[in-house]
Amino acid sequence: MALVIEKPMMEALGITEETPLQVTVNGNALVVTPANVGVGPERMKAITKELRKRYGPMLKRLAD
């Protein structure tokens, strides 16, 4: 089985082929939502980079 989501709908939802989806049932409706609630991968990379820049030396000293 497969669920086909056309490109315009994917763009409207802000999802890609890589986006994990959650499928639930609400009465007689099938509800499909992005499972990655919160920050996306690009934002997470930016946050991690900033944290490493700011706290990297301190974390290195703690690890040693």
Side-chain angles (χ1 to χ4, degrees):
M1 296 293 222
L3 176 63
V4 177
I5 304 172
E6 295 185 8
K7 189 173 180 176
M9 189 175 292
M10 291 177 64
E11 290 171 352
L13 294 171
I15 63 174
T16 68
E17 297 86 1
E18 305 299 319
T19 304
L21 300 175
Q22 180 176 348
V23 180
T24 56
V25 176
N26 186 358
N28 289 333
L30 187 65
V31 181
V32 181
T33 54
N36 59 344
V37 178
V39 298
E42 292 303 316
R43 179 72 177 128
M44 192 64 197
K45 285 180 189 177
I47 291 169
T48 302
K49 184 177 179 181
E50 179 61 30
L51 288 173
R52 283 185 180 147
K53 187 168 103 178
R54 183 180 294 174
Y55 299 110
M58 177 192 65
L59 294 171
K60 174 76 170 120
R61 286 192 305 273
L62 284 172
D64 292 338

